[in-house]
């Protein structure tokens, strides 16, 4: 009896905390107490203008968004930075190509598509025609020299592309605080080279390039090139300039870069050079790498644009919903399909270690009973409709002694563990802890749904169960939002 009593007090306390803390449930735990508020920069998504948007960029977008959400939830001050590939020879080709076969109207109406078309075509022409290649090089030279006309065309390409990206990110529920890019450092890299030289870290090679010996001992066993023979910068040089610039601007406590694992060496080199330059804050920089996704294709072929992935997801989900017996009549089926489909995409991606590669499979991600995002959304929608159907009174009046059956107890115990899971993810920045927690919560709920009836139960019992389900929905929604998923209330 005493034990049952203690348990009912505990149940009451868990439910109370879930409702009172709302979106902050789990985050007020002692696991996070004394956690100082930090300035965190997250550099993510960062596609290259005019080039293909590949699955790696999609992964960077959703992983970076998750990390930013999590850091924000933990109370840190987060700045989300999109570092576009917006400088380089590809703009020489685009500039030359646009003059040959560009259309102003097409550029205005669908810039990403049109610029990519031009890019593909001009590359083809340049392979056969030396003059095209020449004029591309000349265009880029003008850009580097600060020629106003060349720069204004480049600026137009960039502005219109970003404008379109912002719209697409919106569909994903992703936003950025800063749209930066490699172009910002097209001049500032010179300062980095000067500094490296002053510190005696810059070595000239016979080819006329400049390198930094990463051991710092001058034996050149491992080095990083920071200047081309014509004096221009490389990817690494611009990242060095960007890191220093961000330190000056934000005085960050930590900066996190999210890219595929192919860039691991790149970031280790950049961090090591910063260290050699004497910046102790190099230790505050972190690269979060992820693995390769194989075989993500749309029915039309390879993924070229971010929009393709989202549209394909929506389309396939709509088809699935049309076949499903449980689908409700919806006012906005397209929107719901998109939200559910994106949840499926995100859960598939976040289930394992970020560093592992995986093979993408459209059918698998949409299984409504498997460990999928569809299952999470379905659970959330079911719980929402329960709340709509039955009026749920005040928590104060519930009798928690009615929640001592095994199903309720396992749910309550699971709810209690949410803070530990958040803590784990905050430590290794891996979303999989939260994913598996939410999937288990949904499985427990599916079982409880079958046995813990509301209709036909005594009012006292029904009321207690309704509160339990309401608490589950709240925690489920919190977790989904952290992962970057917008929960739906009908599907
Ligand atoms: N634009 C690069 C790419 O597509 C990713 C940039 C990542 N961020 C950075 N600061 N280097 O590979």
């Amino acid at each position: 009896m005493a034990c049952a009593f203690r348990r009912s007090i505990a149940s009451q306390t868990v439910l109370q905390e879930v409702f009172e803390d709302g979106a902050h449930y789990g985050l007020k735990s002692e696991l996070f107490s004394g956690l100082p508020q930090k300035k965190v920069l997250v550099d993510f998504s960062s596609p290259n203008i005019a080039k293909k948007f590949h699955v790696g960029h999609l992964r960077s977008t959703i992983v970076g968004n998750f990390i930013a959400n999590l850091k924000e939830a933990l109370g840190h001050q987060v700045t989300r930075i999109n570092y576009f590939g917006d400088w380089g020879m590809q703009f020489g080709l685009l500039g030359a190509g646009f003059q040959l076969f560009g259309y102003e109207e097409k550029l205005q109406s669908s810039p990403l598509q049109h610029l990519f078309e031009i890019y593909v075509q001009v590359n083809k022409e340049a392979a056969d025609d030396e003059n095209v290649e020449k004029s591309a090089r000349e265009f880029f030279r003008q850009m580097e020299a600060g020629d106003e006309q060349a720069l204004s065309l480049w600026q137009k390409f960039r502005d219109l592309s970003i404008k379109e990206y912002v719209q697409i990110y919106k569909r994903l529920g992703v936003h950025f605080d800063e749209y930066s890019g490699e172009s910002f450092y097209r001049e500032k890299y010179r300062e980095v080279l000067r500094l490296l030289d002053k510190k005696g870290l810059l070595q000239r090679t016979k080819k006329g390039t400049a390198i930094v010996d990463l051991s710092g001992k001058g034996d050149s066993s491992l080095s990083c090139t920071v200047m081309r023979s014509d004096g221009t910068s490389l990817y690494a040089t611009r990242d060095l300039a960007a890191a220093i610039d961000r330190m000056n601007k934000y005085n960050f406590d930590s900066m996190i870069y999210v890219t595929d694992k192919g860039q691991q060496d790149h970031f280790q080199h950049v961090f090591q050079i910063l260290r050699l330059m004497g910046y102790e804050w190099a230790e505050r920089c972190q690269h979060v790498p992820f693995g390769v996704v194989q075989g993500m294709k749309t029915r039309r072929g390879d993924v070229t644009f971010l929009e393709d992935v989202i549209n394909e997801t929506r389309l396939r989900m709509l088809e699935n919903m049309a076949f499903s017996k449980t689908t409700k009549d919806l006012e906005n089926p397209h929107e719901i399909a998109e939200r559910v489909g994106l949840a499926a995409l995100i859960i598939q991606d976040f289930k394992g270690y970020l560093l592992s590669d995986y093979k993408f499979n459209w059918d698998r991600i949409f299984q409504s009973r498997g460990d999928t995002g569809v299952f999470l959304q379905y659970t959330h929608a079911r719980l929402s409709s329960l709340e709509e159907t039955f009026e749920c009174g005040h928590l104060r009046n519930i009798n928690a002694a009615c929640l001592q059956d095994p199903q309720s107890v396992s749910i309550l115990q699971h709810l209690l563990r949410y803070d530990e899971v958040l803590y784990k993810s905050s430590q290794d920045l891996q979303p999989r802890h939260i994913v598996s927690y939410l999937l288990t919560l949904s499985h427990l709920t599916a079982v409880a749904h079958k046995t813990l009836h509301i209709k036909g139960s005594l009012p006292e019992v029904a009321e207690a169960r309704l509160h339990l389900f309401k608490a589950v929905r709240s925690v489920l929604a919190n977790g989904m939002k952290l992962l970057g998923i917008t929960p739906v209330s009908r599907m």
Side-chain angles (χ1 to χ4, degrees):
M1 191 61 203
C3 169
F5 179 67
R6 259 206 310 278
R7 231 195 275 149
S8 75
I9 296 215
S11 314
Q12 180 97 21
T13 318
V14 182
L15 295 180
Q16 201 161 335
E17 252 180 52
V18 171
F19 296 129
E20 267 170 19
D21 294 349
H24 300 289
Y25 175 68
L27 295 158
K28 296 186 172 171
S29 149
E30 66 262 32
L31 288 172
F32 302 110
S33 69
L35 195 77
Q37 209 206 47
K38 299 257 164 91
K39 272 193 205 132
V40 182
L41 307 193
V42 189
D43 172 317
F44 69 107
S45 195
S46 310
N48 303 318
I49 293 177
K51 293 191 185 168
K52 250 188 186 183
F53 184 99
H54 52 73
V55 189
H57 292 125
L58 172 64
R59 252 198 132 174
S60 171
T61 309
I62 60 179
V63 173
N65 185 49
F66 160 69
I67 293 176
N69 289 348
L70 181 65
K71 292 281 181 189
E72 222 159 56
L74 293 170
H76 301 304
Q77 190 187 324
V78 177
T79 305
R80 298 156 187 253
I81 302 180
N82 198 331
Y83 182 75
F84 277 103
D86 61 357
W87 198 252
M89 198 42 205
Q90 84 246 39
F91 284 95
L93 285 157
L94 273 187
F98 190 74
Q99 284 156 358
L100 289 171
F101 24 69
Y103 292 95
E104 185 64 32
E105 312 83 74
K106 277 198 192 173
L107 181 67
Q108 294 290 341
S109 61
S110 39
L112 295 178
Q113 168 95 28
H114 192 45
L115 288 176
F116 182 68
E117 281 163 7
I118 295 175
Y119 184 67
V120 172
Q121 197 173 348
V122 74
N123 263 305
K124 252 190 242 150
E125 306 270 327
D128 304 334
D129 186 346
E130 248 176 55
N131 285 326
V132 175
E133 155 100 56
K134 237 199 221 148
S135 50
R137 216 170 304 143
E138 174 55 21
F139 192 90
F140 187 53
R141 199 198 56 74
Q142 286 173 350
M143 278 170 58
E144 293 254 34
D147 176 80
E148 252 174 59
Q149 246 180 335
L151 280 180
S152 90
L153 191 58
W154 163 80
Q155 186 77 46
K156 185 150 85 178
F157 293 160
R158 184 181 193 273
D159 290 349
L160 290 170
S161 300
I162 293 182
K163 206 166 129 201
E164 193 177 344
Y165 262 119
V166 171
Q167 291 311 314
I168 306 168
Y169 286 130
K170 218 189 236 161
R171 287 173 70 181
L172 284 175
V174 173
H175 72 276
F176 292 90
D177 302 299
E178 191 183 303
Y179 282 96
S180 157
E182 294 180 43
S183 67
F184 281 50
Y185 304 102
R186 61 181 190 257
E187 290 296 332
K188 286 190 181 151
Y189 80 91
R190 291 183 214 278
E191 181 58 26
V192 175
L193 293 181
R194 252 195 304 278
L195 269 171
L196 284 167
D197 200 24
K198 211 171 89 191
K199 293 181 193 262
L201 294 164
L202 204 65
Q203 295 175 23
R204 295 288 178 149
T205 65
K206 286 196 198 94
K207 286 181 264 167
T209 62
I211 60 169
V212 174
D213 167 37
L214 295 172
S215 72
K217 295 190 204 103
D219 57 10
S220 292
S221 53
L222 192 59
S223 64
C224 174
T225 309
V226 289
M227 190 189 87
R228 291 207 174 83
S229 55
D230 62 0
T232 57
S233 65
L234 288 98
Y235 184 46
T237 332
R238 296 189 285 271
D239 254 328
L240 286 166
I244 296 169
D245 185 46
R246 290 172 187 175
M247 188 64 210
N248 291 336
K249 187 165 166 198
Y250 294 104
N251 191 20
F252 56 80
D253 297 294
S254 99
M255 172 153 65
I256 299 167
Y257 296 89
V258 187
T259 77
D260 64 82
K261 62 186 178 190
Q263 299 200 27
Q264 259 169 326
D265 283 349
H266 164 75
F267 285 107
Q268 291 324 312
H269 293 175
V270 169
F271 301 163
Q272 174 63 6
I273 295 176
L274 291 172
R275 245 175 247 132
L276 292 173
M277 291 173 89
Y279 295 124
E280 41 72 36
W281 52 262
E283 309 310 327
R284 303 183 207 171
C285 300
Q286 183 185 1
H287 177 221
V288 176
F290 53 79
V292 183
V293 183
Q294 290 130 355
M296 187 192 277
K297 285 202 162 60
T298 68
R299 276 176 206 163
R300 291 202 321 217
D302 283 333
V303 170
T304 314
F305 304 106
L306 174 55
E307 207 178 4
D308 293 342
V309 188
I310 306 177
N311 289 345
E312 184 84 4
T313 307
R314 184 173 68 187
L315 186 78
R316 289 189 186 246
M317 193 62 221
L318 267 175
E319 287 172 4
N320 268 20
M321 282 163 50
F323 279 118
S324 157
K325 289 191 291 291
T326 53
T327 301
K328 305 263 184 317
D329 274 335
L330 300 167
E331 273 167 43
N332 48 353
H334 287 262
E335 196 185 316
I336 299 290
E338 188 160 308
R339 299 223 159 123
V340 178
L342 288 173
L345 212 68
I346 291 174
I347 293 302
Q348 153 91 350
D349 199 271
F350 286 2
K351 253 198 301 198
Y353 277 104
L354 292 178
L355 206 50
S356 359
D357 303 340
Y358 70 88
K359 212 166 154 36
F360 190 83
N361 179 327
W362 285 107
D363 294 326
R364 204 178 46 222
I365 75 169
F366 288 139
Q367 279 164 12
S368 56
R369 309 227 168 264
D371 283 346
T372 63
V374 180
F375 178 50
L376 293 187
Q377 288 285 28
Y378 175 71
T379 309
H380 187 272
R382 247 181 117 183
L383 292 167
S384 304
S385 88
L386 202 65
E387 277 173 47
E388 275 169 36
T389 319
F390 300 98
E391 194 67 33
C392 175
H394 201 280
L395 178 68
R396 229 179 308 137
N397 306 326
I398 73 156
N399 181 0
C402 300
L403 298 175
Q404 306 221 336
D405 59 280
Q407 287 83 3
S408 302
V409 171
S410 26
I411 289 182
L412 285 161
Q413 281 172 342
H414 197 63
L415 290 179
L416 259 179
R417 285 188 44 233
Y418 187 55
D419 63 339
E420 285 166 38
V421 173
L422 293 177
Y423 183 73
K424 269 195 205 157
S425 282
S426 75
Q427 291 296 298
D428 63 7
L429 301 183
Q430 298 282 327
R432 67 188 185 98
H433 310 294
I434 298 175
V435 171
S436 80
Y437 174 89
L438 296 179
L439 288 167
T440 306
L441 184 61
S442 299
H443 283 297
L444 292 173
T445 307
V447 176
H449 253 301
K450 281 197 202 113
T451 49
L452 308 182
H453 303 286
I454 308 284
K455 219 160 110 186
S457 297
L458 290 171
E460 193 185 41
V461 176
E463 184 82 342
R465 288 177 179 174
L466 273 175
H467 276 92
L468 179 68
F469 284 127
K470 195 174 167 185
V472 171
R473 196 197 55 74
S474 170
V475 176
L476 185 60
N478 289 348
M480 288 166 82
K481 286 181 200 158
L482 268 188
L483 297 174
I485 295 171
T486 310
V488 299
S489 15
R490 285 174 78 90
M491 67 180 273

